[in-house]
Amino acid sequence: MPRPIRKILEVLDGKTVSPPPIWLMRQAGRYLPEYRKVRAEAGGFLDLCYNPDFAVEVTLQPIRRYGFDAAILFSDILVIPDALKRNVRFVQGEGPQMDPIDPEGIDNLQVEGALDHIAPVIETVRRLRAELPQETTLLGFCGAPWTVATYMIAGHGTTDQAPARLFAYRYPEAFQKMLGVLTEMSAEYLIRQIDAGADAVQIFDSWAGVLGEDEFDAYAAKPVARMIEIIRSQRPQARIIAFAKGAGLNLKTYRQKTKADAIGLDWSVPLSVAADLQKEGPVQGNLDPMRVVAGGKSLDDGIDAILDKLGHGPLIFNLGHGITPEADPEHVTQLVARVRGDGR
Ligand code: CP3
C-alpha cells in the first residue's frame, strides 16, 4: 500500500503545498456544541483528558465537522504538573489552579515514574492514529518548560507572569533546576506520544513574550533546544513545531537555536517579517483569532493577506493563538473554504 500523503508532514519537510494545509490551535473546544456536550458528561476537565473514550471523541469532532489536515491530541499542557502532584484543578470560570511551588517544593519533586500517571493520554494517541483518516496528520503536544513553570510558580494564570519572572531572579538555582526537570520530562513525554503514533509534535511556549532578551534565550530557547536535542537523539525522524507566542524579534534566531522544523507565529508578527522567517524554513500561523469571532469581510481579508504573503512558501495555515469560545462554528466553515480556495 502506498504511503498516504499527510500534507502537514510535507510542509514540515520544507515543501510548499498549495493550498496550504490547515488546522487550528484549540480546534477542539467550547466553541463547538458537540464539545460542550461531552465536556458536561465527563465531569471535570482533567477527567476528560484522562478518559481515552471521551478524549478520542472530542479530538475527532473538529475533524468530522471541518476535515482539518491535522488532529491535535486532546489534553492539556498542565497534565505535567498534575503528574508531578501539584494538585492541579480546573475551576469553572476561573481557569487552571494548582499549589504554587517554592524552592523546597522543587527539591522534593518526584520525577521517577511520574509520567506513568499520564498513560491514558498515550492510550488516546494510540487509538487516534488507528481511527483517523490516513491523510490526517496526528499532532501530539506539550507545554514548553518556561510556560509550564509560570503556572507552577504562580499557581494560576497571570497576565504578565510577574511571579515566575521574580522567582527566576530570586532563586536562580532552584529555577534552573525546575526548568531542567520539566525539560527532561517533557522530552520523554513527547517521545512516548511519537511512539504511540503522533506524526509530529508541537511545543507551546505561550508565555515566551514576557521575557527580556537574555531571559528568552535562557528560559525559552535553550530548554526547547535541549528538548529537541533529546528527542532527536532517540527518534531522529521526529518532526517538531515550536510556538513561542509573543517572541517578536527573538524569533529571528529561534529556529536556528532550537532546530525546530517549523516555527509558529502569533498574529502580531508582521507578514513581511513572517515572509523573511519563511525563507529559512516552514512557518505556521498567524490569523488573529478575533477575526474568526468577527467573521465576514474582516475574516476574509485576514486570510487573503496571509495567503498572499506566505502562500507561496512552506506554510501551515493556523491562527496566531487558540480559537476562543465566542467563535461561531459557521465562521470556521468560511475560513476553511476560503483557505482551500472554494470561496475566492
Ligand atoms: O488545541 C486543541 O484542541 C487541543 C487541546 C488543548 C487544550 N489546551 C484544551 C483545553 C491544547 C493544545 C491546550 C494547550 C494549553 N493549555 C496551553 C497552550 C496553548 C495556549 O492556549 O496558550 C495553555 C497555556 C494551557 C493551559 C490552560 N488550559 C488554560 C490557561 C486553560 C483555561 C483557559 C480556557 O480556555 O478555559 C485551560 C483549559 C482548557 N484546555 C480548555 C480546553 C478545551 C477549556 C476547558 C474547558 O473545557 O472547560
Side-chain angles (χ1 to χ4, degrees):
M1 209 173 74
R3 221 170 119 253
I5 293 177
R6 296 186 179 140
K7 289 179 186 165
I8 289 184
L9 301 184
E10 305 261 293
V11 175
L12 291 177
D13 288 345
K15 296 190 186 118
T16 299
V17 177
S18 190
I22 174 172
W23 71 280
L24 305 185
M25 290 189 271
R26 290 278 183 97
Q27 64 191 22
R30 284 168 297 185
Y31 74 106
L32 291 178
E34 59 267 36
Y35 170 84
R36 294 197 299 269
K37 190 161 168 281
V38 177
R39 170 80 171 80
E41 231 179 287
F45 176 69
L46 283 175
D47 299 314
L48 179 53
C49 295
Y50 294 141
N51 180 318
D53 291 334
F54 289 141
V56 166
E57 169 57 24
V58 295
T59 305
L60 294 177
Q61 285 172 347
I63 306 304
R64 289 189 203 114
R65 200 191 253 260
Y66 303 113
F68 288 124
D69 294 290
I72 182 159
L73 161 70
F74 190 85
S75 179
D76 197 84
I77 65 165
L78 300 179
V79 297
I80 289 284
D82 189 51
L84 289 168
K85 300 200 168 65
R86 300 310 302 163
N87 188 21
V88 175
R89 61 257 177 213
F90 285 82
V91 185
Q92 203 84 52
E94 282 182 46
Q97 295 182 13
M98 68 194 78
D99 296 345
I101 202 162
D102 58 15
E104 200 189 326
I106 291 171
D107 278 337
N108 293 333
L109 284 174
Q110 284 298 322
V111 180
E112 200 57 35
L115 276 179
D116 296 341
H117 181 74
I118 332 182
V121 179
I122 303 301
E123 173 61 18
T124 301
V125 175
R126 198 169 290 118
R127 291 200 206 170
L128 278 169
R129 193 53 280 175
E131 290 195 28
L132 278 168
Q134 282 298 310
E135 66 275 15
T136 310
T137 300
L138 175 58
L139 296 174
F141 76 94
C142 72
W146 160 250
T147 287
V148 175
T150 64
Y151 289 94
M152 289 179 73
I153 291 167
H156 53 83
T158 77
T159 53
D160 57 3
Q161 306 310 339
R165 284 153 53 212
L166 182 58
F167 190 102
Y169 293 125
R170 270 199 182 137
Y171 311 111
E173 274 177 39
F175 184 69
Q176 278 303 333
K177 185 170 179 184
M178 176 153 79
L179 286 183
V181 166
L182 293 173
T183 298
E184 302 271 331
M185 209 173 146
S186 306
E188 175 59 31
Y189 179 41
L190 291 184
I191 289 170
R192 290 190 192 189
Q193 294 181 28
I194 290 165
D195 289 351
D199 299 303
V201 292
Q202 173 155 321
I203 302 171
F204 286 88
D205 217 346
S206 305
W207 290 104
V210 301
L211 294 168
E213 182 178 15
D214 292 348
E215 290 74 23
F216 180 86
D217 191 51
Y219 310 155
K222 278 215 172 75
V224 170
R226 177 69 188 137
M227 277 181 67
I228 293 179
E229 184 181 50
I230 296 171
I231 296 167
R232 293 241 174 86
S233 72
Q234 298 181 42
R235 302 293 180 271
Q237 302 307 321
R239 293 175 176 96
I240 302 164
I241 306 167
F243 173 54
K245 181 171 180 290
L249 293 175
N250 287 313
L251 283 171
K252 271 168 68 176
T253 55
Y254 191 61
R255 188 199 303 272
Q256 287 108 294
K257 282 179 180 165
T258 60
K259 305 214 163 43
D261 294 289
I263 52 173
L265 308 176
D266 66 78
W267 69 90
S268 75
V269 178
L271 289 175
S272 57
V273 173
D276 283 341
L277 292 167
Q278 196 186 40
K279 288 182 190 139
E280 317 267 312
V283 294
Q284 172 177 281
N286 71 341
L287 189 74
D288 184 348
M290 287 308 119
R291 287 194 190 261
V292 186
V293 178
K297 185 174 184 305
S298 46
L299 178 54
D300 286 346
D301 289 350
I303 296 165
D304 294 354
I306 292 171
L307 292 177
D308 289 345
K309 287 274 180 13
L310 304 177
H312 309 288
L315 170 69
I316 300 169
F317 199 100
N318 206 318
L319 306 181
H321 198 201
I323 188 167
T324 57
E326 311 78 54
D328 181 338
E330 287 301 315
H331 294 173
V332 177
T333 306
Q334 177 188 340
L335 162 61
V336 173
R338 194 154 185 104
V339 170
R340 293 198 167 142
D342 314 342
R344 287 235 271 183

